[in-house]
């Protein structure tokens, strides 16, 4: 069996938006290394400072390096007719496959993950990241976080797997990878086979390569296959299936990150078959005013262009839910918030009521603070209540997450994205459900 053990360094976590800065390929025949290919790559985009700090690859180093298009023929010829092997293979495979496709090469090769193999062949280790695994197996890694060093170490891991009766397991994994799935008539089977069983966002493309549908999933492969099962024979459904010629995907560390990224991508790509997040967003808002009796009032109304609301919502139901929450938590009179139209026998004291409304407004203002949500190894950054972006921060290990240096590093690590009402609603609900996962930023 012939293997190509691959490792890459990149400018970020999404193949469609980020570039490869370095790639290494170790050619291995199951008993010995046949050759090694290694090169820096010019990604034609700035390398984020946190990536430079982790890998040591600078913008100056890649400036004179070849572009991926230049080295794509060499890479494709090295990978074809071999089993693509990597540690956390879906990350490396998705990047290499995507950039090869942009260069005009369609990589169709089985893949193996040395993390999954190691867990089965060497059970009981506390962690299976490449660094931890190599320490457990007494494998020395030269140039950690560089493609060449990590690829050579991964090849040694694969060699130990095969030496420890792992050949049968490798064959079983490859058979499972190649099983045929149900699919639309114009979709080749390899698109299903290459999908990972991890959280992320997936894209259906038409014959011209245009994205016609974007979805998110806790398990990409399972969710995509679910689109093609069932007995819906309607013309609308069949027209949809006939339009699918390709599938691509972007992996995400958690389902929540995938939900945010799905909304970002729907707004960016405006796919023809997505309906839910493309509807006209009739915005609603909670407003504050003082009536002629001196009461501070809170009221729900349509969002006006020239009026400053206390809070804005995409759905009227969300606005009602939030206002009732304020009424309960701050003991406001429902009639003074237009939630109860019956006239009470006795109105509350003006001063006491206004103090409670002020406390409610202060609480809302506190929700517009700056904070970081950390989901797995990804940080979501909100500044002054506004979604800024998200990005990988697994390399940032600091004892004090509120330290200015950590916060500055997070701000450098995140990729900026446009906010929309769907994202605002998701973040609001997340904060209510998981307040312990929020790190407040003191301005």
């Amino acid at each position: 069996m012939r293997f190509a053990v691959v490792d890459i360094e990149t400018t970020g976590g999404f193949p469609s938006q980020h570039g490869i800065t370095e790639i290494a390929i170790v050619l291995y025949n199951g008993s010995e290394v046949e050759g090694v290919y290694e090169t820096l790559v010019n990604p034609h985009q700035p390398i984020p400072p946190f990536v430079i700090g982790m890998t040591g690859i600078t913008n100056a180093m890649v400036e004179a390096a070849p572009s991926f298009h230049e080295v794509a023929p060499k890479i494709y010829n090295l990978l074809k007719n071999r089993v693509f092997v990597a540690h956390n293979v879906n990350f490396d495979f998705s990047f290499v496959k995507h950039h090869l496709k942009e260069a005009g090469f369609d990589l169709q090769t089985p893949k193996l993950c040395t993390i999954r193999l190691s867990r089965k062949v060497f059970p009981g280790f506390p962690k299976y990241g490449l660094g931890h695994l190599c320490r457990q197996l007494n494998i020395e890694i030269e140039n950690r976080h560089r493609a060449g060093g990590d690829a050579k170490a991964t090849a040694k891991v694969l060699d130990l797997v095969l030496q420890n009766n792992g050949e049968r397991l490798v064959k079983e994994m490859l058979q499972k990878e190649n099983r045929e799935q149900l699919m639309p008539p114009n979709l080749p089977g390899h698109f299903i086979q290459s999908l990972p069983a991890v959280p992320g966002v997936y894209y259906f493309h038409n014959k011209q390569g245009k994205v016609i549908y974007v979805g998110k999933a806790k398990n990409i492969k399972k969710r995509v296959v679910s689109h093609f099962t069932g007995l819906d024979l309607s013309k609308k459904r069949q027209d949809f299936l006939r339009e699918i010629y390709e599938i691509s995907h972007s992996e995400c560390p958690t389902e929540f990150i995938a939900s945010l990224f799905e909304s970002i991508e729907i707004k960016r790509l405006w796919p023809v078959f997505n309906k839910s997040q493309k509807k006209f967003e009739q915005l609603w808002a909670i407003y504050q005013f003082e009536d002629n009796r001196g009461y501070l009032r809170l009221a729900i109304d349509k969002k006006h262009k020239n009026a400053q609301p206390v809070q804005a919502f995409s759905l009227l139901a969300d606005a009602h839910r939030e206002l009732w929450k304020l009424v309960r938590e701050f003991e406001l009179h429902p009639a003074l918030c237009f939630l109860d139209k019956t006239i009470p026998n006795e109105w509350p004291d003006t001063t006491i009521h206004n103090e409670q409304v002020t406390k409610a407004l202060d609480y809302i203002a506190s929700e517009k603070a700056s904070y970081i949500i950390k989901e797995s190894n990804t940080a979501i950054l909100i500044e002054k209540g506004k979604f800024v972006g998200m990005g990988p921060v697994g390399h940032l290990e600091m004892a004090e997450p509120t330290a200015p240096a950590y916060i500055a590093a997070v701000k450098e690590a995140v990729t900026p994205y446009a906010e929309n009402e769907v994202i605002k609603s998701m973040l609001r609900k997340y904060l209510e459900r998981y307040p312990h996962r929020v790190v407040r930023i003191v301005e």
Side-chain angles (χ1 to χ4, degrees):
M1 198 174 296
R2 302 166 73 228
F3 303 92
V5 184
V6 182
D7 190 84
I8 61 172
E9 304 300 332
T10 69
T11 62
F14 301 110
S16 60
Q17 299 180 18
H18 299 119
I20 295 173
T21 59
E22 189 176 39
I23 182 168
I25 303 171
V26 178
L27 304 178
Y28 174 71
N29 63 12
S31 59
E32 61 182 2
V33 172
E34 299 174 309
V36 177
Y37 173 77
E38 183 178 358
T39 183
L40 289 168
V41 179
N42 188 339
H44 296 291
Q45 59 180 252
I47 303 174
F50 76 92
V51 173
I52 295 174
M54 179 173 64
T55 66
I57 300 172
T58 65
N59 291 298
M61 289 170 62
V62 300
E63 186 176 357
S67 67
F68 192 89
H69 274 65
E70 292 177 73
V71 296
K74 174 77 171 178
I75 292 171
Y76 177 75
N77 286 328
L78 291 173
L79 296 179
K80 70 177 182 179
N81 302 322
R82 287 182 179 262
V83 178
F84 187 110
V85 182
H87 212 63
N88 188 17
V89 70
N90 288 322
F91 177 84
D92 300 78
F93 188 82
S94 64
F95 262 89
V96 174
K97 183 176 176 64
H98 174 82
H99 288 281
L100 279 175
K101 183 176 180 180
E102 287 197 327
F105 296 92
D106 186 17
L107 181 63
Q108 301 298 331
T109 184
K111 62 184 189 292
L112 278 175
C113 180
T114 47
I115 291 181
R116 292 178 60 201
L117 283 169
S118 299
R119 283 185 177 137
K120 292 182 178 294
V121 177
F122 308 111
F125 290 168
K127 294 182 179 179
Y128 287 86
L130 186 60
H132 293 283
L133 182 62
C134 287
R135 282 192 289 273
Q136 294 285 344
L137 298 175
N138 295 316
I139 295 173
E140 183 179 351
I141 307 180
E142 297 179 2
N143 295 327
R144 180 75 173 107
H145 293 303
R146 289 295 299 270
D150 287 357
K152 291 170 186 175
T154 303
K156 292 177 182 178
V157 170
L158 176 61
D159 185 63
L160 284 178
V161 166
L162 294 175
Q163 289 180 30
N164 286 270
N165 300 315
E167 188 172 347
R168 178 186 58 80
L169 180 62
V170 166
K171 290 180 179 178
E172 287 179 359
M173 284 191 171
L174 290 175
Q175 287 174 356
K176 185 177 181 181
E177 181 74 25
N178 291 326
R179 285 175 188 163
E180 287 293 322
Q181 301 284 342
L182 293 172
M183 52 193 162
N186 297 314
L187 181 69
H190 64 78
F191 284 106
I192 298 292
Q193 295 161 12
S194 64
L195 292 173
V198 298
V201 172
Y202 56 90
Y203 309 81
F204 293 160
H205 303 256
N206 65 10
K207 190 174 184 179
Q208 290 73 38
K210 184 177 180 180
V211 175
I212 58 172
Y213 184 84
V214 175
K216 64 90 180 174
K218 183 177 181 179
N219 180 322
I220 294 175
K221 190 166 194 172
K222 185 176 180 180
R223 179 67 185 97
V224 168
V225 170
S226 74
H227 279 281
F228 311 141
T229 59
L231 298 175
D232 186 352
L233 300 177
S234 66
K235 183 178 184 299
K236 182 178 179 182
R237 173 72 170 172
Q238 296 307 308
D239 286 346
F240 170 60
L241 295 179
R242 276 193 293 271
E243 283 291 310
I244 301 172
Y245 281 75
E246 299 178 15
I247 301 174
S248 61
H249 68 277
S250 291
E251 295 180 24
C252 297
T254 68
E255 186 179 11
F256 181 65
I257 297 292
S259 297
L260 296 175
F261 195 55
E262 175 200 36
S263 184
I264 290 166
E265 291 293 78
I266 289 174
K267 299 296 182 183
R268 181 177 72 88
L269 297 167
W270 211 249
V272 64
F273 285 103
N274 282 96
K275 303 299 180 184
S276 61
Q277 295 193 36
K278 289 169 60 181
K279 294 177 181 177
F280 174 73
E281 294 180 352
Q282 174 64 67
L283 298 180
W284 297 84
I286 297 176
Y287 291 97
Q288 171 221 340
F289 68 95
E290 183 177 327
D291 68 12
N292 56 10
R293 294 175 296 171
Y295 283 110
L296 290 178
R297 308 286 294 271
L298 296 177
I300 297 172
D301 196 2
K302 291 181 180 179
K303 191 171 182 293
H304 303 292
K305 184 176 181 180
N306 298 319
Q308 185 61 41
V310 174
Q311 279 182 299
F313 306 86
S314 57
L315 299 174
L316 179 60
D318 288 342
H320 275 282
R321 186 161 40 246
E322 180 65 16
L323 189 50
W324 270 114
K325 175 185 170 184
L326 296 174
V327 166
R328 288 191 295 269
E329 291 190 9
F330 296 95
E331 299 179 349
L332 307 180
H333 200 294
L336 290 173
C337 297
F338 301 93
L339 295 174
D340 186 350
K341 295 184 179 181
T342 60
I343 299 175
N345 295 325
E346 185 178 353
W347 292 95
D349 178 83
T350 309
T351 302
I352 295 175
H353 170 80
N354 289 352
E355 287 177 354
Q356 293 303 104
V357 172
T358 301
K359 289 179 182 179
L361 295 174
D362 289 342
Y363 166 76
I364 293 171
S366 72
E367 286 194 320
K368 294 182 179 179
S370 298
Y371 54 89
I372 297 167
I373 296 172
K374 191 172 180 184
E375 275 265 313
S376 184
N377 290 324
T378 298
I380 303 163
L381 178 62
I382 292 88
E383 289 188 323
K384 296 181 180 179
K386 182 177 176 62
F387 171 71
V388 174
M390 54 190 179
V393 292
H395 60 289
L396 300 178
E397 296 297 340
M398 293 191 180
E400 181 52 65
T402 58
Y406 180 83
I407 294 167
V410 169
K411 290 183 179 181
E412 286 186 348
V414 301
T415 300
Y417 294 110
E419 183 185 61
N420 62 60
E421 289 301 317
V422 175
I423 287 177
K424 286 167 68 175
S425 177
M426 284 193 285
L427 289 173
R428 188 183 300 116
K429 292 173 183 176
Y430 185 96
L431 292 175
E432 291 177 358
R433 189 173 181 182
Y434 305 111
H436 57 285
R437 298 183 185 175
V438 176
V439 178
R440 298 279 177 176
I441 300 174
V442 179
E443 302 290 343

